[in-house]
Amino acid sequence: MPETAPSDRTRVKRYHWLARYDRETIDAIIDGALVAHVGYLIDGAPVVTPTCPWRIGDHVYWHGSAASRMLRAQASGVPVCLSVTHLDGVAFSRAAFNHNLLYRSVMAFGSTEAVEGEDKRVALKAFIDKLAPGLWDHARPPTEQEWKASKVIRMRLDEVSAKVAAARPDEDAGDLATERWAGHVPLSLQAGPPVPDPKLPDGIAVPGFVASFRL
């Protein structure tokens, strides 16, 4: 398990004791994410775009329309910063400046590249099955026009680190001696029961991968 950051810009400086540099922790945070944010420059101006990430080996992927200005810029290989955050709770402390959040986050730096040909098809299938295993085989296969209209970008996970805040912050002895309440409220993203499309004909059962869908 690595004990140091892979580069100076991925070294956690603020609350450095929350840092995690091992790939097991980093991969789990990315694999569990439905949303990531990608920061980059277009025409000298900063842009941050939300996207759906997925990981294959040492690369993180995202996709979108071939007409997307974001993806056209990234296809040529530009520096980006990708971040993922899972919010796990709100911590309430005895002192006003000690309230905090419980979270797991990843920040990765690197250069992008477009994924083409058969590699693009393999990557998009992996993305669909990440959403729900079995979804790819259930759905209608993409047409050639749909393949052409989709663009896939990836970035190698060489410069990456994580922060995990899983406990409440320490408090001063004087604050601990007061009768003010302290603790935390857990937060989680939960899936509700499936809602059928109003246009769905009667008698079509909910597929198993939908009925068992969990976050």
Side-chain angles (χ1 to χ4, degrees):
M1 181 181 297
E3 296 180 356
T4 58
S7 67
D8 184 64
R9 62 179 175 176
T10 55
R11 181 170 61 88
V12 177
K13 302 174 180 64
R14 185 66 174 165
Y15 300 118
H16 59 86
W17 55 88
L18 302 179
R20 300 289 188 274
Y21 301 117
D22 63 288
R23 281 295 301 273
E24 181 179 5
T25 299
I26 290 167
D27 289 352
I29 293 172
I30 294 174
D31 293 348
L34 292 177
V35 177
H37 288 84
V38 181
Y40 53 101
L41 291 176
I42 289 185
D43 299 330
V47 179
V48 177
T49 308
T51 189
C52 296
W54 72 99
R55 184 185 61 85
I56 303 175
D58 292 329
H59 288 85
V60 61
Y61 293 72
W62 56 96
H63 85 295
S65 168
S68 164
R69 184 176 72 147
M70 172 187 81
L71 297 186
R72 288 202 308 268
Q74 294 171 0
S76 61
V78 297
V80 302
C81 175
L82 178 139
S83 65
V84 171
T85 302
H86 298 276
L87 183 59
D88 296 323
V90 178
F92 300 97
S93 298
R94 295 167 179 83
F97 277 18
N98 280 345
H99 306 312
N100 216 322
L101 298 177
L102 306 181
Y103 62 90
R104 291 160 290 138
S105 67
V106 158
M107 183 171 288
F109 298 91
S111 295
T112 57
E113 61 177 343
V115 182
E116 303 289 358
E118 186 61 25
D119 289 340
K120 181 174 81 168
R121 296 177 183 245
V122 171
L124 284 171
K125 181 180 184 299
F127 168 60
I128 298 300
D129 278 337
K130 176 203 170 178
L131 293 177
L135 179 56
W136 179 269
D137 290 335
H138 171 80
R140 173 185 61 77
T143 65
E144 286 303 314
Q145 184 58 39
E146 287 172 332
W147 282 118
K148 293 177 183 178
S150 298
K151 187 175 290 294
V152 175
I153 303 295
R154 72 178 185 178
M155 179 182 71
R156 187 172 177 85
L157 291 168
D158 288 330
E159 286 191 83
V160 56
S161 62
K163 288 178 75 174
V164 178
R168 294 183 59 259
D170 292 333
E171 296 191 74
D172 296 337
D175 292 326
L176 292 173
T178 70
E179 295 184 355
R180 295 181 175 88
W181 186 90
H184 77 278
V185 175
L187 299 176
S188 63
L189 187 64
Q190 296 183 350
V195 179
D197 185 339
K199 298 178 181 179
L200 194 69
D202 294 337
I204 297 181
V206 177
F209 62 83
V210 175
S212 62
F213 183 83
R214 299 292 183 273
L215 294 172

